[in-house]
Amino acid sequence: QVRVVESGGGLVQAGGSLRLSCAASGSILRAKAMGWYRQAPGKQRELVATITSGGTTNYTDSVKGRFTISGDNAEDTVYLQMNSLKPEDTAVYYCNADSFAGGRWAKYWGQGTQVTVSS
């Protein structure tokens, strides 16, 4: 079974920075891709940023230029550097890994980490 664990959330003032970390373990193969999603109260979960094993990144428009996703393929670890944070970035941030376990590829989710940006 693949286990995904996030860390690094917290409370920060608008304009500040936070760095989220995520590690996936338990797969015999490297993850094809990993990413960050977020869910604000009363809203659907949305994609924030993803990175493939080849290093290709993708960002939702609202975070481009402010957030940077990076990863360590050797360790199935991914980071999200969040700068110039805004109150609208407040949400629970979830890490996702496209990993191989039980004979198939599937998406595995972490438990989430709260990010709160005060105005």
Side-chain angles (χ1 to χ4, degrees):
Q1 183 68 17
V2 175
R3 185 168 180 243
V4 178
V5 179
E6 306 104 332
S7 62
L11 172 65
V12 65
Q13 288 188 333
S17 298
L18 281 174
R19 178 178 167 91
L20 305 182
S21 300
C22 171
S25 60
S27 176
I28 61 173
L29 300 175
R30 294 276 70 82
K32 290 192 292 187
M34 296 183 71
W36 290 95
Y37 294 70
R38 65 187 179 187
Q39 187 167 17
K43 295 187 177 181
Q44 289 188 333
R45 189 173 298 188
E46 64 171 354
L47 179 147
V48 177
T50 61
I51 185 168
T52 68
S53 58
T56 300
T57 58
N58 180 53
Y59 298 89
T60 192
D61 287 345
S62 63
V63 308
K64 286 180 180 177
R66 300 188 298 122
F67 292 10
T68 302
I69 189 170
S70 60
D72 182 346
N73 284 344
E75 299 293 335
D76 275 354
T77 301
V78 66
Y79 308 96
L80 187 68
Q81 178 66 42
M82 304 185 293
N83 299 327
S84 302
L85 282 161
K86 304 175 180 180
E88 51 263 44
D89 294 318
T90 295
V92 178
Y93 283 69
Y94 296 91
C95 180
N96 170 271
D98 287 341
S99 296
F100 186 86
R104 66 187 183 95
W105 290 93
K107 289 185 179 295
Y108 294 88
W109 294 91
Q111 79 288 350
T113 185
Q114 178 70 46
V115 172
T116 302
V117 184
S118 62
S119 57

